Amino acid sequence: DGIVEAVYHDEGEYVTKNMPLIKIKPVPSPKEYAGAHQELANAKAKEKEAELVFKRQKYLLDNRTISANNLNYTASQNGYTLAKNDRILAEQKLALLERGETVVAGKQIESVVVSPIDGNILYRGVNVGDPVISISSAQAATALLTIANMQELMFQGSVDERDAAKIKPGMIAKIKIGSLPDQEITGKISRVALQSDKENSALGTTTTSSETQSSPFNVGFKIEITDLQFPEDLILRSGYSATASIAIKKVDGVLILPLRVIQFKDTKPHVLLPTKKDKEPKQQPVELGVSDNINVEIKIGLKLGELVIDQPDTTVTTQD
C-alpha cells in the first residue's frame, strides 16, 4: 500500500525481466506508524538492558571470577545478540514505513515493482501521486501495468454452436484483421472451449470484456488460435478486431449457387428455372453439397451454363 512516487517506463516501451517499473512510497496509518515507533523503542530498551547484563558477566569473566563456559555468561551473551537483532529488525520495519527502503543482510530492499517478464508495456494504470492498494483476501489490488510478450500473440474469438463440433485443435485458420484488410495471417487452433459463453455468463465466470458481451453469438464457444504466421514488417497490436476463417471441408471444380436462390418445399431443395412467356417458372429439384453460408455446392440437378431465377426483392406497397 502507498502512493506512486516514480514511474520509470511508459506504455509502448520494451522491458526485461526484473527491470524496475514503479516505485511505491508507503503511506502508513497513524496506528501503524505509532506501533512501529513503539516497537523500536521497546527493542532499544531491551537491547540496553541485555547489554548491561552481558557487560556484568563480561567483567566477571575478565577478572577470572567465572569461566567462558558459565551458563549465566553464555545466556547473557545470547540474550544481548537476540536483543540487538530485534532492534535492527524494528529499525528496518520503521525505515520501510517511512522511506519505503532499507538494507537487509547487505541487500537493498525497496518498494519498487519490477517486471515479471520480458515484453512490451500495453497499459499503464497509475500516475505519480496515485494511491495503490495491495492484494489481500478481501480486495483486489491496484492494476499498475499490463505487460505482454508481443512475440507470442494469439487470436481469441467466439465460434457459433453450429460449427463448434466441427472444429478441432490443430486445424489451420486464416485470419483477417479489420484494420489491415490486405494482410492475411495463418495460425493453428490451439483450444476450443467445452462450455459456451452463455453458460459461463450464467455461472458468473465470463470475461467482462466488451468484445465478449457484444458478441453476436448468444451461444458461442471461445476459440484460441496460436502459432501465428505473418510478415516481419507487419505490426500487430493487442485488441485488434479480426475474423478467422476455418476450412471444415474443401471441394474443387464444383457447381455453386448463392444460397439465396435455393428454395425449399417439404424440406426438399429446388431452384426456379425460366420458362416461356406467361408460364410459371419450373421448379427444378437439386441436391446440395457443402456450403460456406454464402454459396452452396450443387451436386445433382443443374449443368454449367443453365440459367436460374434469382429471388425477387420483397417490396411493400401502401395505398392512400
Side-chain angles (χ1 to χ4, degrees), residues 3-296:
I3 300 295
V4 176
E5 184 176 11
V7 178
Y8 303 125
H9 298 280
D10 207 343
E11 295 176 359
E13 294 186 36
Y14 181 82
V15 295
T16 57
K17 187 175 182 180
N18 295 326
M19 181 178 289
L21 301 176
I22 292 178
K23 184 176 182 179
I24 308 297
K25 180 181 179 181
V27 182
S29 66
K31 182 178 180 180
E32 291 175 327
Y33 194 70
H37 269 283
Q38 183 65 40
E39 185 178 351
L40 178 59
N42 293 340
K44 286 182 177 179
K46 291 180 179 179
E47 180 188 17
K48 187 175 182 180
E49 180 181 356
E51 183 181 11
L52 292 175
V53 174
F54 174 68
K55 284 183 177 181
R56 286 197 295 268
Q57 296 297 321
K58 185 73 166 53
Y59 176 79
L60 296 176
L61 177 66
D62 293 340
N63 288 278
R64 298 183 178 182
T65 304
I66 60 175
S67 65
N69 295 329
N70 185 273
L71 294 178
N72 291 331
Y73 172 76
T74 55
S76 65
Q77 187 180 36
N78 291 336
Y80 179 48
T81 302
L82 292 176
K84 184 187 297 185
N85 291 339
D86 289 341
R87 188 260 306 167
I88 294 174
L89 178 60
E91 289 177 341
Q92 292 170 346
K93 288 182 178 180
L94 183 60
L96 282 174
L97 286 176
E98 291 180 331
R99 305 188 304 273
E101 58 184 36
T102 188
V103 177
V104 178
K107 183 179 179 180
Q108 184 72 18
I109 303 298
E110 297 178 313
S111 297
V112 176
V113 179
V114 299
S115 176
I117 62 170
D118 297 343
N120 293 88
I121 299 176
L122 303 183
Y123 171 76
R124 177 165 63 88
V126 293
N127 296 307
V128 174
D130 288 348
V132 173
I133 300 175
S134 62
I135 193 170
S136 71
S137 60
Q139 63 187 11
T142 302
L144 304 177
L145 300 164
T146 300
I147 303 175
N149 184 351
M150 297 300 288
Q151 303 303 316
E152 298 179 1
L153 297 174
M154 71 166 61
F155 170 95
Q156 289 183 325
S158 182
V159 62
D160 189 87
E161 61 178 331
R162 295 174 299 176
D163 300 320
K166 306 173 186 177
I167 298 175
K168 298 179 181 179
M171 297 178 70
I172 301 298
K174 295 182 179 180
I175 300 173
K176 284 284 188 180
I177 307 294
S179 58
L180 305 169
D182 297 331
Q183 298 286 348
E184 187 174 90
I185 302 169
T186 61
K188 292 182 180 180
I189 298 176
S190 58
R191 187 178 76 89
V192 180
L194 295 177
Q195 184 163 270
S196 70
D197 295 341
K198 186 175 181 180
E199 289 297 323
N200 289 337
S201 178
L203 294 175
T205 58
T206 187
T207 178
T208 58
S209 69
S210 59
E211 292 182 5
T212 301
Q213 290 180 343
S214 61
S215 172
F217 308 120
N218 57 358
V219 190
F221 290 81
K222 292 187 182 301
I223 183 173
E224 291 183 0
I225 300 174
T226 55
D227 194 19
L228 303 184
Q229 304 296 321
F230 53 90
E232 293 183 359
D233 58 346
L234 178 62
I235 299 178
L236 295 181
R237 304 181 187 276
S238 177
Y240 267 161
S241 60
T243 302
S245 300
I246 305 165
I248 305 299
K249 187 177 181 180
K250 182 179 180 181
V251 290
D252 294 314
V254 299
L255 295 178
I256 63 171
L257 278 178
L259 272 172
R260 67 176 183 274
V261 306
I262 306 299
Q263 299 189 16
F264 291 86
K265 185 176 182 181
D266 298 330
T267 70
K268 295 182 179 180
H270 68 270
V271 295
L272 299 179
L273 302 182
T275 57
K276 293 181 180 181
K277 188 177 181 181
D278 299 332
K279 287 190 176 182
E280 292 290 332
K282 178 184 177 181
Q283 293 187 4
Q284 175 62 39
V286 291
E287 181 180 339
L288 306 180
V290 298
S291 171
D292 60 359
N293 293 328
I294 299 176
N295 298 307
V296 63

